[in-house]
Amino acid sequence: NERTVSALYAAATDQLWRDVYQEEEGLSRDQSIRDIRRLEQAGLVKGVGYGATLHYVAVGELKRAYDEISAAVTAPPVEPYPV
């Protein structure tokens, strides 16, 4: 589902909050809950906290992919012309 890309990005880079996702994507409460549950079932996000503090973070393959990309982007540059 294309609209879940923003949810995956939010979870991978920081935290995914259902109400923020709902508002940004123009979804109903039920749609946002359904999307996030599907991401949980796929093993890409997990809930942290309870009630008003509930948010979601990346796990599994999403976390590994983000960590790999982040490491590649922030790695020190390689000298192209060895001395």
Side-chain angles (χ1 to χ4, degrees), residues 2-79:
E2 288 183 25
R3 72 177 179 227
T4 59
V5 171
S6 66
L8 291 171
Y9 180 79
T13 58
D14 188 31
Q15 300 172 348
L16 168 63
W17 295 86
R18 185 207 44 84
D19 56 339
V20 174
Y21 171 63
Q22 175 184 331
E23 183 178 327
E24 287 180 352
E25 293 299 317
L27 304 174
S28 70
R29 181 179 179 276
D30 289 345
Q31 286 174 314
S32 62
I33 290 171
R34 194 168 33 249
D35 285 355
I36 293 171
R37 283 192 182 147
R38 285 185 184 139
L39 295 175
E40 281 184 298
Q41 291 168 351
L44 298 173
V45 301
K46 78 170 186 175
V48 177
Y50 182 77
T53 66
L54 178 63
H55 62 279
Y56 301 85
V57 295
V59 294
E61 189 60 34
L62 177 61
K63 176 81 169 120
R64 282 189 292 279
Y66 176 76
D67 289 346
E68 184 178 312
I69 293 167
S70 180
V73 171
T74 59
V78 176
E79 176 61 51

